[in-house]
Amino acid sequence: MAIADILDIAMFATACLFLLAGFPVAFTLAGTALIFAILGAALGVFDLSFLGAFPQRIFGTMTNETLIAVPLFVFMGVMLERSRVAEELLENMGRLFGTMRGGLGISVTLVGALLAASTGIVGATVVTMGLLSLPTMLKRGYDPALATGSIAAAGTLGQIIPPSIVLVLLGDVMSSAYQNAQLSMGNFSPDALSVGDLFAGALLPGLMLVGLYIAYQLVMAIVKPTSSPAMVLEPGETRPGLGVILQALIPPILLIVAVLGSILAGIATPTEAAAVGAVGATLLAGYREPQPVLVSDSHGATRRLTLRLLGALHMRGLLPPTLAALALAGLFVLTALYDLRLGLETVPEGTEVARIAAFILCAVIAWGLLVCLLRTLANNCLTQVVRTTTEITSMVFVILVGAALFSLVFRGLGGDDTVHEFLNAMPGGVVGAMIIVMAVMFFLGFFLDFIEITFVVVPVVAPVLLMMGVDPVWLGVMMAINLQTSFLTPPFGFALFYLRGVAPPEVKTTHIYKGALPFVAIQLLALIILSLFPEIATWLPETVFG
C-alpha cells in the first residue's frame, strides 16, 4: 500500500477519533487537514499548492445561494417555537385522540410530523413535546419507555420531512458530488441536483415513517394495553370542538403549504421558499401577540419606545398580520399566473396590471411584517430568535469551512481513488457498496452528529456511488433517513440528551434508551423498504420536476 493511501486512511480515522473525544467539529476537521497536509508534504506525497484553492472554496461557500436557506429555515423554526404553535397543537391533539388506546402517542407523532414540516429543528421539537406531553402521558399511565421513545422519535421527523436543515446541507453536498461524478465519467454538461429534488424525494418516505410509527403504537396498544391506556377526561374537561382544532391546525398547515407547496409547484426555489417561511413565521408570531406586554428589565427603554411607535402608527390588533398573510397568498397567485419580472422583451396582456397589484401586495406585506417585528421586539421574542439563529448559523458555516479544507487535503492525498477502489472491490457490486456505506454511516451515528457525518463521510463516498449508477435522489434520501437514526442511537443520540434534560426525575435514562430502540428498528425497516422500492423516493421528483 502506498504512503498516500496510508495517510488518507489515517487522516479519516484521526478526524473521527478527535470528534469522538469531543473536540469542536470545525477545528477538528481543519486541524487534522493541516497536520496531514504538512506530513504529506514532508513525505513528498502532497503538493502544498493544493491549499491555494482553499480561499476560492470559502468564497464559493459564502456565495452559495442554496445555503442562504439555512439561516432562513432556522429563523422560521425558532420563531415558530416562540409563538407557541406546538403547545396548542399538543393540547388539542392530545384531547382529541387521547380517549382511544395509544391515542396520546399517536397525537405526539402527528404533532411531531406537523412541526417537522413547519420548523425542522429537532432540539426545539423534542424539548417542547417533552415538557408538555411527557408529564401528561406518565400521569395517564403510559409506560415510560414507550412515552419517551414516541416523543424522541417524533421529534426527529424534522430531519427527513421537508423543509429540513439536514436536506439543505445534504442537498448541497450531494449536488457537488453528483457534478463531480458526471465530470469524472466524461459528461461535461452535467445534470443538476437541487435541494428541491431532495425535498420532493423525502416527502413520501417521511410520511411513510410517520405511518410506521403510528402502526407500532397501535400494535403496542393492542398487544400490551397497559403500556398506552386510553385517557379518561377529568370532570369539566371536554374534547375540543372543530373550531378549536382548526384554529390550532390551520396556521402551521398554511405555512407548510406556502413553503413546501411553492417549491413543488415550481413557484419558488428552496431559498426563496425559506424566505417565505421566515416571513410567514414572523406574521404568525405577531398574530399571536396582538398586544405586546411591557416588561421592566434592562431592555425596558427599547420596549417602551417600540410600544409608543406601535401606538403612534395605530398598529394594534389582528388586522396587520391578517392582511399581510392574505397579501402573501395573493402574491403567490399572481406569481403562478403571470411572469412579473421586469425587462421582458414582450409583455403579455394583463401583466402590467398584475405588476401594479404585486407592488401593492408587497407594500401590505412589508407593513404587516414591520408591525409583527415590532411586536416580537417589544416582547423580547425577536431578540432571542435572532441570537439563536445567529449561533446555529455560525456553527454550521464554520463547520462548512473546516469541511472544505478537510476534503481538499483528502483529495490531494488521493483519498477519492482509495475509496473508489475499496467500494468497487466489495462483493455484490453496487448493492455491496451501498450496504457497506449505510452500515458505516449507521455505526458512526452512535457517536457522531449528523453534521459531522454529512461533511466528513458523504463527500467521500457519494461521488463513488454515483459513478456506479446510483440514483442521486434515492441515495440522498437513504442517507437522510440513516442520518436521522443518529439522533436516537445510544449513547450519544442528541434527541435522547434533549429529552433527558426535560424529563421528570422518575424517568430514568434506561427508560429513554429502551424506548428509543424500537423506533431505531423502525427507521432501519424504512431503509430496507426504500431500498426495495426506490420509487417511493424517486416518483414525486420525477412527476413534479420531470
Side-chain angles (χ1 to χ4, degrees):
M1 183 179 289
I3 296 178
D5 296 336
I6 297 175
L7 282 181
D8 52 47
I9 294 173
M11 177 181 171
F12 185 85
T14 302
C16 290
L17 288 175
F18 277 125
L19 290 172
L20 291 176
F23 288 94
V25 180
F27 303 120
T28 294
L29 296 177
T32 303
L34 288 175
I35 291 172
F36 277 86
I38 296 171
L39 185 59
L43 296 175
V45 294
F46 181 79
D47 187 356
L48 289 176
S49 62
F50 267 87
L51 299 179
F54 184 54
Q56 295 177 348
R57 290 204 170 197
I58 296 178
F59 182 76
T61 299
M62 296 300 108
T63 57
N64 189 337
E65 291 187 6
T66 301
L67 295 178
I68 298 175
V70 173
L72 292 172
F73 278 134
V74 172
F75 180 91
M76 180 182 75
V78 178
M79 183 65 81
L80 282 176
E81 178 202 355
R82 303 289 180 183
S83 62
R84 302 191 301 277
V85 171
E87 295 181 24
E88 289 192 9
L89 280 173
L90 282 169
E91 180 182 351
N92 290 296
M93 286 292 189
R95 289 163 58 194
L96 181 65
F97 290 99
T99 52
M100 60 180 285
R101 279 192 303 184
L104 284 176
I106 293 173
S107 66
V108 164
T109 301
L110 292 175
V111 171
L114 286 171
L115 293 177
S118 54
T119 65
I121 298 180
V122 169
T125 305
V126 172
V127 169
T128 302
M129 292 198 297
L131 287 171
L132 299 176
S133 292
L134 186 55
T136 302
M137 297 175 80
L138 296 175
K139 180 182 176 182
R140 304 292 184 177
Y142 260 68
D143 179 69
L146 180 60
T148 54
S150 300
I151 291 172
T156 63
L157 289 171
Q159 298 304 294
I160 185 63
I161 296 179
S164 161
I165 304 298
V166 169
L167 294 177
V168 174
L169 298 176
L170 188 61
D172 183 66
V173 174
M174 288 292 299
S175 177
S176 300
Y178 189 42
Q179 290 188 7
N180 291 334
Q182 291 181 92
L183 291 173
S184 300
M185 292 187 295
N187 180 11
F188 298 103
S189 298
D191 297 328
L193 175 70
S194 68
V195 174
D197 293 324
L198 277 189
F199 276 13
L203 183 58
L204 293 182
L207 296 177
M208 177 185 71
L209 204 55
V210 173
L212 291 175
Y213 286 173
I214 293 176
Y216 168 71
Q217 287 160 348
L218 289 174
V219 169
M220 287 297 295
I222 296 172
V223 174
K224 192 178 180 183
T226 56
S227 65
S228 50
M231 182 178 71
V232 179
L233 295 178
E234 297 179 355
E237 187 178 8
T238 59
R239 298 182 69 178
L242 180 62
V244 175
I245 296 173
L246 290 178
Q247 186 177 2
L249 280 176
I250 287 178
I253 289 177
L254 288 178
L255 195 61
I256 293 168
V257 171
V259 176
L260 193 56
S262 62
I263 297 174
L264 298 180
I267 299 174
T269 65
T271 302
E272 293 166 346
V276 171
V279 171
T282 306
L283 294 177
L284 182 58
Y287 181 87
R288 292 174 179 272
E289 297 289 348
Q291 301 292 339
V293 179
L294 181 61
V295 180
S296 177
D297 62 5
S298 58
H299 301 286
T302 303
R303 296 189 187 182
R304 281 193 291 271
L305 180 61
T306 305
L307 288 171
R308 290 195 188 99
L309 181 59
L310 284 167
L313 297 176
H314 303 288
M315 293 182 175
R316 303 282 179 138
L318 301 177
L319 185 62
T322 303
L323 289 180
L326 294 175
L328 189 61
L331 196 60
F332 269 115
V333 174
L334 287 178
T335 305
L337 297 177
Y338 297 96
D339 188 347
L340 301 176
R341 292 175 298 172
L342 301 176
L344 296 176
E345 294 183 2
T346 57
V347 180
E349 184 179 354
T351 302
E352 290 294 343
V353 177
R355 286 175 179 171
I356 295 173
F359 278 120
I360 296 173
L361 292 177
C362 287
V364 175
I365 294 172
W367 169 63
L369 186 61
L370 174 62
V371 174
C372 294
L373 286 173
L374 289 173
R375 288 176 180 174
T376 53
L377 179 62
N379 287 292
N380 202 29
C381 173
L382 183 62
T383 305
Q384 298 175 26
V385 170
V386 170
R387 183 182 294 115
T388 304
T389 302
T390 303
E391 291 173 354
I392 296 175
T393 304
S394 300
M395 176 196 71
V396 170
F397 276 85
V398 171
I399 293 175
L400 274 170
V401 172
L405 182 58
F406 183 88
S407 64
L408 187 66
V409 175
F410 188 80
R411 288 175 178 170
L413 290 171
D416 287 357
D417 296 331
T418 303
V419 174
H420 189 278
E421 293 172 4
F422 174 76
L423 292 179
N424 277 327
M426 288 293 102
V430 178
V431 176
M434 274 294 298
I435 292 175
I436 290 295
V437 169
M438 290 292 110
V440 169
M441 292 180 66
F442 177 72
F443 174 76
L444 290 176
F446 280 82
F447 310 100
L448 302 180
D449 185 31
F450 77 93
I451 295 180
E452 292 123 9
I453 300 174
T454 300
F455 292 135
V456 174
V457 179
V458 177
V460 174
V461 300
V464 181
L465 293 174
L466 293 171
M467 289 175 65
M468 298 172 74
V470 176
D471 185 275
V473 174
W474 177 73
L475 177 61
V477 175
M478 288 282 288
M479 287 182 168
I481 295 179
N482 203 334
L483 290 173
Q484 184 186 357
T485 63
S486 67
F487 280 88
L488 289 178
T489 47
F492 299 121
F494 277 81
L496 309 181
F497 282 155
Y498 295 140
L499 190 56
R500 174 68 276 176
V502 298
E506 62 267 23
V507 176
K508 300 178 181 178
T509 303
T510 53
H511 289 145
I512 299 176
Y513 285 177
K514 181 182 176 181
L517 291 179
F519 290 94
V520 172
I522 291 173
Q523 291 173 342
L524 294 179
L525 175 62
L527 276 177
I528 294 173
I529 294 174
L530 194 59
S531 64
L532 296 176
F533 304 98
E535 297 81 10
I536 299 175
T538 59
W539 174 79
L540 188 59
E542 291 174 357
T543 303
V544 174
F545 302 117

